[in-house]
Amino acid sequence: MAFRRQHNAIGGLVAGYRLVHEVTPRDVGRRVMVRYRLVSGQMTDVVGVLIAWEGEEISVQRRDGQVTQVIASTVIASKVIPPAPSRSSNRR
């Protein structure tokens, strides 16, 4: 996920992680993970290709083709991730 370990000045690990929001409009066309807050206050993730970033609206197309639209101000963490592995038809 989009977490970074925090280190203190001596190089030791600080308990916990820091959420990082790294995706920008320049990442349109790339595969991303976006964690955002729902109206209920719960958090959820969407993984897919960033297909649009228009103003405050981010659109991510999931592997199944469904498009999830996220309001940018609700994003808690995000990052660009590697392309999905190709599926082999020769599975045993």
Side-chain angles (χ1 to χ4, degrees), residues 56-74:
E56 273 288 299
E57 191 171 283
I58 299 169
S59 299
V60 179
Q61 185 172 28
R62 299 180 350 187
R63 177 175 51 192
D64 64 5
Q66 181 179 353
V67 175
T68 300
Q69 296 178 323
V70 178
I71 303 300
S73 61
T74 65

Side-chain angles (χ1 to χ4, degrees), residues 22-37:
E22 298 176 337
V23 175
T24 70
R26 293 183 305 248
D27 295 314
V28 169
R30 298 178 76 184
R31 187 164 180 252
V32 298
M33 183 288 304
V34 177
R35 174 166 289 170
Y36 61 101
R37 189 171 304 280

